[in-house]
Amino acid sequence: MAFFNLLNRVEYACVCGLLNPLTKLYFCRHCMKLRCGFCVCQEVDSNFCSNCLENIPSSETKMRKNRCNTCFNCPSCQHTLSVRASIATVPLAAGADSPATEDAAKAAKGGSSSTPGPAVKQVTKKMYYLACLTCRWNSHDIGIPDQTAATGQWPEPEYPNATRFALLLEHYQSVVLHDKQERQELWRRKMPKKSQFPNLTDRTGLTASMIRRQMGWSDGKVQLKTTPIPIKESVASEEVDELPAELLHAGVNLRTVTTLTQRLAQPAKQSASVSQLYPQHKLLSIKCSLRCRQCDHNVIKSEYNPSSIKYRIALFAAYHVPDVRLVRCDPLRCEGAETALLLRITNPTINEMTVTIMELPTVDEERLLIQELKAMALESGTAASVASAGGASSGSGGQTSLTSLSQGFARQGTLIEEPRLVDRAVNGTLKLPDSSFTVNQRDDSAEFDEVVQGHQDEPK
């Protein structure tokens, strides 16, 4: 545990100049440089529920509003609710006769006639309800009826402003679609007109559009231009309902008042009473992959299966960079006397490693390094733009490229963290070793090896 608890004893400098412990850094094997959390970008790989471990596509995630349909959170303590079973006696539905009642009816027909009583038939069924194993809250507290199936459709609470929010959502979706169509139309006008002659590289000699015209079909689906859906604006009103008299005179029982966490968990209603808290659908979790901003290669990529904790790509710095620890440091003296400093360097790889201890660069040297990094980033950006322009020109010459079809396929410029000077100053003179030294490869069984002394038999 000392590897995780003593994080700030030795800090490593990232390319951007930020200092972090080794456990919070990544190593890009393509750039051969350390990367911190600001030098990598996150990408969402999959959405899943952490309780039922169900993988949900991104399109369905938007429809579900980033929540699971089958799992619920406790409205009191925000833990996951469990489905519990109970035995309940319910009246038998009309027209549904059990085998026992049919046998009784046959026996009554065979015997003497008697006047039947108005008894109501009762049937024992297994019913299910929601319960929290942490705070002992259950769905009976707020009057939610039990369900006959464990995965039943639990009733959803009705909110007073649900209709207004649905209208607002529909309005802004139409606004976004209208703006998107205007941008696409403007982009089509700026694009050069295509030649009306068929492409010579086409095997059939006719393009798809000419074939459609010869067959009497249209060139494609005619996309109607949408207009934003009008909506009634919200107007502030001076008429405000008065506070009830009970609120000013009656005593306050804090056990029946919801906390701030409970109200924020239900933003649609924000009930003030505990008796009006309803279970909420559980939020979905995500699996992210980290990508280097410099070379766009993956640094961390996990498995797609939600129940797996393994990584496909795990370029943690602790797996590739030697771990440096301060073992002993004598008290520092300002009279010019030498002080011994003992370091422990651990090689985490399976190969031998040559280590050279050098002095820290000066401020001028650091500025030169920062200028070189900026020049390299500028060169990579210009190379990407030239490549995209070349693809567009080849598409206009005959072959259709992805960038000529849509701007979304064009490679976007990477946002790289601005390099800065390392915020550390040297206030002493170090006497470094004269030469490099080699650190042996990692041996996992070394710490478990014991010195076994040979057994000597007693002399006869």
Side-chain angles (χ1 to χ4, degrees):
M1 292 301 295
F3 184 74
F4 296 97
N5 294 333
L6 304 177
L7 298 179
N8 297 326
R9 294 296 296 272
V10 176
E11 293 182 333
Y12 295 73
C14 178
V15 180
C16 62
L18 294 177
L19 296 175
N20 291 281
L22 187 61
T23 54
K24 294 184 178 181
L25 292 176
Y26 310 97
F27 178 76
C28 181
R29 61 182 179 182
H30 301 276
C31 303
M32 300 299 292
K33 294 178 182 178
L34 292 177
R35 301 295 181 189
C36 64
F38 295 99
C39 297
V40 294
C41 57
Q42 297 185 359
E43 296 179 354
V44 178
D45 289 338
S46 60
N47 301 271
F48 68 97
C49 177
S50 59
N51 185 42
C52 61
L53 299 179
E54 178 187 2
N55 254 328
I56 302 175
S58 57
S59 58
E60 192 175 352
T61 302
K62 296 179 181 179
M63 298 176 57
R64 296 186 182 184
K65 298 180 181 179
N66 200 31
R67 292 182 180 272
C68 181
N69 283 347
T70 57
C71 304
F72 292 87
N73 281 340
C74 175
S76 180
C77 63
Q78 311 306 321
H79 283 79
T80 305
L81 293 177
S82 302
V83 180
R84 311 295 292 177
S86 62
I87 304 298
T89 303
V90 296
L92 185 63
D97 293 335
S98 60
T101 58
E102 292 179 358
D103 295 342
K106 291 179 181 179
K109 289 181 180 179
S112 60
S113 61
S114 60
T115 304
V120 180
K121 300 176 183 179
Q122 301 288 336
V123 178
T124 302
K125 285 187 177 182
K126 182 181 288 188
M127 306 297 290
Y128 298 91
Y129 65 95
L130 297 175
C132 179
L133 304 180
T134 304
C135 64
R136 301 301 178 184
W137 182 93
N138 56 59
S139 56
H140 296 160
D141 297 343
I142 57 176
I144 296 180
D146 297 347
Q147 302 294 322
T148 57
T151 59
Q153 296 294 332
W154 301 96
E156 297 288 342
E158 296 182 358
Y159 302 112
N161 298 324
T163 306
R164 178 63 178 177
F165 280 112
L167 292 176
L168 289 173
L169 179 62
E170 186 179 359
H171 169 70
Y172 286 112
Q173 284 179 350
S174 63
V175 171
V176 170
L177 182 59
H178 178 71
D179 294 343
K180 182 179 179 181
Q181 289 181 352
E182 285 187 348
R183 288 195 302 268
Q184 290 180 353
E185 185 178 355
L186 180 62
W187 179 65
R188 289 194 199 98
R189 292 176 182 176
K190 292 183 178 180
M191 287 292 295
K193 295 183 179 180
K194 297 181 180 179
S195 176
Q196 54 183 336
F197 298 101
N199 190 2
L200 297 179
T201 59
D202 194 355
R203 294 181 182 178
T204 60
L206 295 173
T207 58
S209 60
M210 295 182 65
I211 295 176
R212 297 180 68 90
R213 291 175 185 175
Q214 290 180 0
M215 298 180 64
W217 295 353
S218 60
D219 290 345
K221 294 183 179 179
V222 179
Q223 190 175 9
L224 299 178
K225 189 174 182 180
T226 60
T227 56
I229 301 175
I231 189 173
K232 185 179 179 180
E233 297 182 359
S234 301
V235 180
S237 176
E238 296 181 356
E239 299 178 1
V240 182
D241 297 339
E242 297 182 358
L243 295 175
E246 299 177 355
L247 185 62
L248 302 176
H249 302 287
V252 179
N253 187 6
L254 296 180
R255 294 184 178 180
T256 60
V257 180
T258 56
T259 61
L260 184 61
T261 305
Q262 294 172 351
R263 295 189 186 187
L264 294 179
Q266 301 184 4
K269 192 173 183 180
Q270 297 188 7
S271 303
S273 177
V274 178
S275 60
Q276 299 178 357
L277 291 177
Y278 285 84
Q280 299 291 319
H281 289 276
K282 191 174 183 62
L283 289 172
L284 299 178
S285 302
I286 60 174
K287 278 194 172 185
C288 292
S289 61
L290 302 181
R291 189 180 295 273
C292 177
R293 293 181 183 268
Q294 184 74 29
C295 61
D296 290 342
H297 285 89
N298 280 324
V299 178
I300 299 295
K301 191 173 183 62
S302 57
E303 292 284 348
Y304 185 75
N305 188 7
S307 60
S308 176
I309 60 174
K310 297 181 180 180
Y311 291 93
R312 293 184 181 179
I313 302 175
L315 297 179
F316 294 101
Y319 296 161
H320 303 275
V321 181
D323 180 25
V324 181
R325 296 294 183 89
L326 292 173
V327 178
R328 187 180 70 251
C329 181
D330 296 339
L332 301 178
R333 301 180 179 87
C334 58
E335 292 83 4
E338 295 183 355
T339 301
L341 176 64
L342 182 61
L343 299 177
R344 187 186 70 180
I345 301 178
T346 306
N347 182 8
T349 62
I350 59 175
N351 302 316
E352 292 184 352
M353 183 179 295
T354 302
V355 178
T356 304
I357 300 179
M358 305 172 62
E359 293 184 358
L360 292 176
T362 60
V363 177
D364 297 335
E365 293 176 351
E366 285 190 24
R367 290 175 179 173
L368 291 176
L369 292 175
I370 291 175
Q371 292 179 1
E372 292 179 359
L373 289 175
K374 291 182 178 179
M376 291 174 58
L378 184 61
E379 289 179 0
S380 61
T382 53
S385 61
V386 168
S388 61
S393 62
S394 63
S396 61
Q399 298 178 356
T400 304
S401 63
L402 294 178
T403 55
S404 62
L405 295 176
S406 175
Q407 290 181 339
F409 295 107
R411 182 179 177 182
Q412 303 294 332
T414 56
L415 300 176
I416 303 176
E417 183 70 16
E418 185 71 19
R420 58 180 67 84
L421 297 176
V422 179
D423 189 15
R424 288 293 184 274
V426 180
N427 54 2
T429 303
L430 297 178
K431 187 176 181 181
L432 303 177
D434 299 334
S435 60
S436 305
F437 55 91
T438 303
V439 183
N440 295 331
Q441 66 271 18
R442 181 188 63 187
D443 188 3
D444 295 333
S445 62
E447 56 180 329
F448 301 103
D449 293 343
E450 297 180 357
V451 179
V452 181
Q453 297 180 357
H455 181 70
Q456 296 181 359
D457 296 335
E458 295 180 357
K460 297 182 180 179

